[in-house]
């Protein structure tokens, strides 16, 4: 039972990291109708800048601020220099251009930081495990990640539902020309939205830094999961991103955790282990296929 | 008539090589210098180059020319480079491949075309057993040697219930098989993860629940960094000891893992602190030349060059294969590993150790704990038909 609770927390933590990634990506697609493959690069930039600042200053808080800011600034610059010219083009052009950006950023990272992974340590106060229940210690840092992710989700919901800028963003996604005619600076709005998406990715990256290896190309593996999330959730929908991220996080974690044991009750140990390894790495794609058969546009499609 | 023309042309091609016998011996190094694993190739290359520099641009008295090309860890690229080396540059001795899948794409073909291949790292089992060949020498190890030694050590240390973890691809299964060959206890679990998986929270929670005596893992590169960090963060390092082959514990990886790897024990055929004169000289010279502690891979590159040097010395600088092969097989050089000889399958018979990750004033490194195997022969040698 304790193991199940621990694995649910692990699934929640993965889901929340995926939500931070997919919220930005789906926002940008829903509002600007642009497919941005380079979203993982902002995650990587957040992690690299965060790791560097943490190493130099010794302050994790400063590292988070710097990593998030760097990702947001790079995101805004990319929007102005590259993506702005692609809004009217086909999705295929956007895919090609942003795929080029992935290579550009990976190479840039190697030029600046070299090919070796960076070391980023957990802030001292969060480095231990705490007993969340008798007999169940859980890494404090992962709990903090869950907490921050939940705060961000609430903040995003408030921003979209309750504030003026949120209203403008939602309106801009429905009818760009009309919102522009009403006197809203739509170019600035788009840059801000894109910067916000990059900021969330940077936050995910800098928080992943102490857990993972900070290395060039680290954005690609999470990008694939992120796309699965927004396809499941419905492209362009924040609510879909929340549900999709939690579903993917849970299915991936629980599959890895329990499939071997479940299959061992039916098959010989060696067969069960290799079948479980293959099945658990396919689990999220099976989930995606099943959901798309049932709801071809995802669980919560953005526009009706 | 046609035959005569071809014959004359062939003769014409041969003449220049006959007339300039003092040409340097060309050695082609196909290695991985880009991608995340690019530092492995750098280490091999720097170790090899150090030996050449120590002899003033020569090996065994013969002038040598080292051609280095980056395979990007891609088999097809390695193949192209090998073809270019053989056809355009006329290279007869090749070395340097880091990854077994690249080696399997390159080596079987070139050794049939009368090129000597001396492996400075990759040691796939296909080339150690029935696929052994007079033109192929492994100067590093057979891949699973470094797992076998941990299996033996863990058994001797009295661990009776060990949990195994590796990525779900052929090398992952090979490495765990190597461990199991010498481990005599029970298995608390055997888990294969996704290749390039980043987060191991689910696996670590399952390990905690299974309560094994020890954990053995093979996760090369970034996967290993992530696993070790998360294992320590979960607080398991203090309660369940962690073991692995040396591939996740070289000095350059340890810099990225940090404290999390402290105290972890791993299997290796070499450490910088081995007390042999040749090793002391190598480590000092390497530090002086490159300003860093050499890794396992650098020691393998260095030994490969020293082996070639000993063979060229024995043949008087002649690089024809018929003379070189027997000279190489004798392995008459002072290896930085101390004991070193070739078995019938031309893989090393050598001592293999358990090391422990420690922290010194210059950073994280390994120290030798125990010699577990003396003059160890790999498991595939008996399937090799060579004598």
């Amino acid at each position: 039972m304790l193991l199940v609770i621990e694995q649910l927390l692990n699934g929640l933590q993965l889901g929340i990291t995926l939500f931070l990634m997919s919220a930005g990506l789906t926002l940008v697609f829903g509002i600007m109708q642009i497919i941005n493959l380079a979203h993982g690069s902002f995650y990587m930039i957040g992690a690299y800048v965060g790791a560097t600042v943490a190493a130099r200053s010794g302050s994790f808080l400063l590292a988070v601020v710097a990593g998030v800011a760097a990702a947001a600034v790079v995101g805004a610059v990319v929007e102005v220099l590259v993506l702005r010219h692609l809004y009217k083009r086909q999705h295929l052009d956007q895919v090609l251009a942003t795929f080029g950006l992935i290579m550009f950023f990976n190479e840039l990272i190697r030029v600046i930081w070299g090919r070796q992974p960076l070391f980023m340590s957990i802030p001292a106060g969060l480095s231990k495990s705490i007993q969340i229940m008798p007999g169940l210690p859980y890494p404090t840092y992962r709990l903090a990640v869950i907490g921050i992710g939940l705060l961000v989700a609430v903040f995003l919901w408030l921003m979209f539902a309750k504030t003026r800028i949120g209203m403008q963003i939602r309106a801009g996604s429905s009818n760009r020309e009309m919102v522009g005619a009403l006197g809203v600076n739509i170019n600035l709005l788009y840059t801000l939205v894109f910067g916000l998406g990059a900021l969330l990715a940077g936050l995910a990256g800098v928080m992943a830094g102490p857990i993972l290896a900070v290395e060039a190309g680290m954005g690609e593996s999470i990008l694939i999961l992120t796309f699965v999330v927004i396809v499941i959730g419905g492209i362009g929908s924040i609510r879909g991103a929340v549900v999709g991220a939690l579903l993917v996080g849970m299915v991936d974690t629980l599959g890895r955790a329990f499939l071997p044991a479940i299959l061992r009750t039916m098959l010989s140990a060696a067969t069960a282990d290799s079948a479980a390894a293959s099945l658990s790495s396919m689990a999220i794609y099976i989930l995606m296929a099943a959901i798309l058969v049932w709801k071809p546009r995802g669980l919560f499609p953005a526009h009706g | 008539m046609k035959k005569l023309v071809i014959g004359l042309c062939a003769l014409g091609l041969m003449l220049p090589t006959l007339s300039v016998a003092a040409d340097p011996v060309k050695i082609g190094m196909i290695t991985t210098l880009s991608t995340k694993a690019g530092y492995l190739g750098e280490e091999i290359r720097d170790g090899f180059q150090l030996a050449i520099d120590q002899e003033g641009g020569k090996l065994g008295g013969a002038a040598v020319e080292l051609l280095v090309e980056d395979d990007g860890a891609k088999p097809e690229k390695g193949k192209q480079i090998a073809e270019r080396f053989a056809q355009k540059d006329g290279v007869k001795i090749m070395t340097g491949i880091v990854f077994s899948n690249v080696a399997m794409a390159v080596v079987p073909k070139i050794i049939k075309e009368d090129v000597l291949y001396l492996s400075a790292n990759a040691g796939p089992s296909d080339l150690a057993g029935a696929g052994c060949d007079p033109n192929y020498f492994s100067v590093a190890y057979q891949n699973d040697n470094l797992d076998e030694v941990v299996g033996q050590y863990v058994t001797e240390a009295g661990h009776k219930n060990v949990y195994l973890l590796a990525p779900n691809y052929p090398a992952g299964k090979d490495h765990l098989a190597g461990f199991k060959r010498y481990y005599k206890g029970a298995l608390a679990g055997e888990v294969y993860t996704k290749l390039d998986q980043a987060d191991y929270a689910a696996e670590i929670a399952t390990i905690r629940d299974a309560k094994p005596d020890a954990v053995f893992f093979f996760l090369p590169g970034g996967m290993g960094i992530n696993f070790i960090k998360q294992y320590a963060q979960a607080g398991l390092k203090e309660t369940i000891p962690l073991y692995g082959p040396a591939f996740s514990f070289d000095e350059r990886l340890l810099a990225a893992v940090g404290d999390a790897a402290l105290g972890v024990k791993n299997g290796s055929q070499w450490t910088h602190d081995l007390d042999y004169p040749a090793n002391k000289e190598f480590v000092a010279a390497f530090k002086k030349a490159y300003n860093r502690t050499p890794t396992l891979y650098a020691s393998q590159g260095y030994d490969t060059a020293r082996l070639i040097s000993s063979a060229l010395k024995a043949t008087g600088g002649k690089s024809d294969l018929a003379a070189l092969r027997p000279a190489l097989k004798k392995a008459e050089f002072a290896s930085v590993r101390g004991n070193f000889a070739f078995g019938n399958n031309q893989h090393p018979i050598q001592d293999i150790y358990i090391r422990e990750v420690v922290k010194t004033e210059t950073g994280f490194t390994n120290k030798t704990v125990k010699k577990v195997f003396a003059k160890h022969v790999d498991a595939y040698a008996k399937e090799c038909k060579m004598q």
Side-chain angles (χ1 to χ4, degrees):
Chain A
M1 192 58 215
L2 288 177
L3 180 65
V4 175
I5 295 170
E6 184 173 3
Q7 298 293 15
L8 286 174
L9 279 173
N10 287 335
L12 182 64
Q13 190 250 320
L14 175 61
I16 278 178
T17 310
L18 287 177
F19 166 70
L20 291 179
M21 288 297 289
S22 50
L25 196 61
T26 205
L27 203 64
V28 166
F29 185 85
I31 292 163
M32 296 146 78
Q33 294 293 313
I34 198 156
I35 294 180
N36 175 27
L37 290 187
H39 197 65
S41 298
F42 304 135
Y43 172 83
M44 175 173 69
I45 288 167
Y48 264 92
V49 172
T52 309
V53 171
R56 292 274 165 81
S57 71
S59 159
F60 187 72
L61 204 64
L62 211 60
V64 172
V65 172
V68 164
V73 168
V74 172
V77 169
V78 163
E79 198 273 340
V80 170
L81 288 184
V82 182
L83 294 181
R84 187 163 285 184
H85 310 288
L86 298 170
Y87 292 146
K88 297 254 161 71
R89 304 284 281 274
Q90 291 175 341
H91 285 325
L92 191 60
D93 294 341
Q94 299 169 352
V95 165
L96 274 179
T98 51
F99 187 71
L101 282 176
I102 292 184
M103 296 183 184
F104 169 77
F105 280 118
N106 282 346
E107 210 46 52
L108 185 71
I109 291 277
R110 287 190 193 109
V111 169
I112 299 176
W113 278 281
R115 295 194 191 102
Q116 280 303 289
L118 291 191
F119 171 58
M120 187 174 182
S121 56
I122 285 192
L126 299 173
S127 66
K128 294 275 178 314
S129 295
I130 50 170
Q131 298 287 122
I132 46 175
M133 258 190 229
L136 178 56
Y138 197 75
T140 322
Y141 184 76
R142 284 183 191 259
L143 284 177
V145 171
I146 293 174
I148 292 173
L150 290 176
L151 280 179
V152 170
V154 170
F155 167 79
L156 282 182
W157 174 73
L158 283 176
M159 189 181 95
F160 280 101
K162 307 284 180 196
T163 67
R164 185 174 178 81
I165 188 151
M167 186 184 72
Q168 287 175 352
I169 290 173
R170 277 183 292 141
S173 73
S174 312
N175 194 328
R176 182 188 158 104
E177 277 74 28
M178 186 58 83
V179 174
L182 289 171
V184 175
N185 183 345
I186 197 86
N187 280 338
L188 180 64
L189 190 68
Y190 275 24
T191 308
L192 285 179
V193 169
F194 199 82
L196 175 67
L199 180 149
L200 294 175
L203 178 64
V206 72
M207 288 198 308
I211 302 179
L212 308 182
V214 177
E215 55 188 356
M218 67 188 287
E220 273 90 276
S221 55
I222 195 157
L223 185 75
I224 295 170
L225 286 177
T226 307
F227 270 105
V228 173
V229 165
I230 66 170
V231 168
I232 286 177
I235 299 174
S237 150
I238 290 278
R239 194 152 53 119
V242 176
V243 176
L246 291 179
L247 263 178
V248 169
M250 289 298 174
V251 167
D252 190 55
T253 305
L254 299 182
R256 272 155 48 204
F258 297 115
L259 266 179
I262 293 171
L263 290 181
R264 266 167 181 255
T265 60
M266 295 178 263
L267 303 164
S268 72
T271 329
D273 287 340
S274 61
S278 315
L279 258 183
S280 60
S281 51
M282 289 191 295
I284 58 162
Y285 304 104
I286 296 171
L287 171 79
M288 178 170 82
I291 286 180
L292 291 185
V293 166
W294 172 46
K295 285 199 159 191
R297 299 188 56 203
L299 293 172
F300 301 97
H303 304 294
Chain B
M1 186 60 200
K2 204 172 166 188
K3 272 187 185 160
L4 184 69
V5 172
I6 293 172
L8 282 174
C9 287
L11 197 67
L13 284 173
M14 278 164 69
L15 277 174
T17 49
L18 290 176
S19 56
V20 280
D23 264 358
V25 178
K26 283 183 178 169
I27 300 169
M29 179 175 281
I30 306 162
T31 196
T32 306
L33 297 169
S34 58
T35 78
K36 281 177 272 196
Y39 77 96
L40 302 178
E42 282 171 30
E43 289 285 309
I44 294 173
R45 178 198 64 197
D46 291 353
F48 199 100
Q49 186 67 48
L50 179 68
I52 297 177
D53 293 345
Q54 282 179 332
E55 295 191 33
K58 294 181 174 178
L59 284 177
V64 292
E65 185 185 347
L66 182 64
L67 310 168
V68 184
E69 289 281 344
D70 173 23
D71 62 26
K74 292 195 184 79
E76 65 277 8
K77 200 156 170 218
K79 231 162 128 181
Q80 286 167 10
I81 298 168
E83 275 163 23
R84 188 156 15 112
F85 275 163
Q87 286 158 16
K88 188 169 147 273
D89 302 313
V91 172
K92 284 287 171 200
I93 305 172
M94 294 191 204
T95 183
I97 297 176
V98 173
F99 293 100
S100 291
N101 57 340
V102 181
M104 286 313 294
V106 171
V107 174
K109 185 159 177 287
I110 60 167
I111 53 180
K112 274 200 196 70
E113 293 164 2
D114 265 341
V115 170
L116 271 182
Y117 187 82
L118 297 117
S119 181
N121 190 51
S125 56
D126 311 70
L127 296 175
C132 65
D133 190 282
N135 285 338
Y136 174 77
F137 292 82
S138 171
V139 196
Y141 38 60
Q142 198 286 311
N143 278 353
D144 62 31
N145 282 168
L146 305 192
D147 309 277
E148 291 176 341
V149 69
V150 186
Q152 177 72 26
Y153 181 81
V154 163
T155 307
E156 285 173 14
H159 296 306
K160 297 211 161 31
N161 199 24
V162 175
Y163 199 98
L164 308 183
L165 189 85
N168 190 21
Y169 77 127
K173 295 187 176 158
D174 287 350
H175 282 276
L176 294 197
F179 175 85
K180 286 190 275 185
R181 199 174 294 136
Y182 282 83
Y183 170 63
K184 300 286 176 268
L187 293 181
E190 181 174 353
V191 167
Y192 293 98
T193 64
K194 227 182 303 180
L195 191 60
D196 274 335
Q197 183 168 317
D199 194 345
Y200 294 89
E203 288 77 9
I204 287 168
T206 314
I207 290 174
R208 191 208 309 277
D209 189 62
K211 299 189 181 66
D213 296 340
V215 173
F216 174 80
F217 75 99
F218 166 74
L219 293 164
M223 292 185 280
I225 302 180
N226 292 353
F227 179 73
I228 300 166
K229 282 170 95 170
Q230 294 165 20
Y231 193 81
Q233 284 162 18
L236 284 185
K237 208 178 66 156
E238 287 77 30
T239 51
I240 309 171
L242 199 56
Y243 294 91
F247 308 113
S248 296
F249 302 95
D250 64 69
E251 279 69 13
R252 301 195 41 183
L253 259 187
L254 285 176
V257 184
D259 284 324
L262 268 185
V264 176
K265 295 203 175 89
N266 60 95
S268 178
Q269 85 283 20
W270 177 84
T271 315
H272 62 86
D273 64 2
L274 289 183
D275 195 12
Y276 297 107
N279 193 41
K280 284 184 169 158
E281 189 200 337
F282 160 66
V283 173
F286 191 95
K287 278 184 178 160
K288 188 158 173 262
Y290 304 106
N291 202 17
R292 62 175 194 266
T293 306
T295 63
L296 179 66
Y297 310 102
S299 81
Q300 292 161 190
Y302 184 77
D303 264 359
T304 306
R306 295 289 303 272
L307 171 68
I308 296 174
S309 169
S310 73
L312 282 174
K313 198 170 172 190
T315 65
K318 272 199 302 206
S319 63
D320 69 281
L321 300 195
L324 267 183
R325 270 193 302 254
L328 285 168
K329 186 143 188 174
K330 282 187 191 134
E332 282 172 339
F333 72 110
S335 167
V336 295
R337 294 167 236 177
N339 280 328
F340 185 101
F342 281 117
N344 66 314
N345 61 345
Q346 302 189 158
H347 279 60
I349 298 177
Q350 60 187 346
D351 305 341
I352 310 183
Y353 304 83
I354 287 290
R355 328 182 286 183
E356 183 178 349
V357 179
V358 293
K359 192 176 189 175
T360 64
E361 61 272 26
T362 52
F364 296 93
T365 186
N366 288 285
K367 83 168 202 280
T368 305
V369 172
K370 189 182 178 192
K371 183 194 283 185
V372 178
F373 289 140
K375 301 190 178 167
H376 184 63
V377 182
D378 66 272
Y380 303 91
K382 50 186 178 294
E383 292 161 31
C384 172
K385 299 226 161 53
M386 289 194 299
Q387 279 312 306

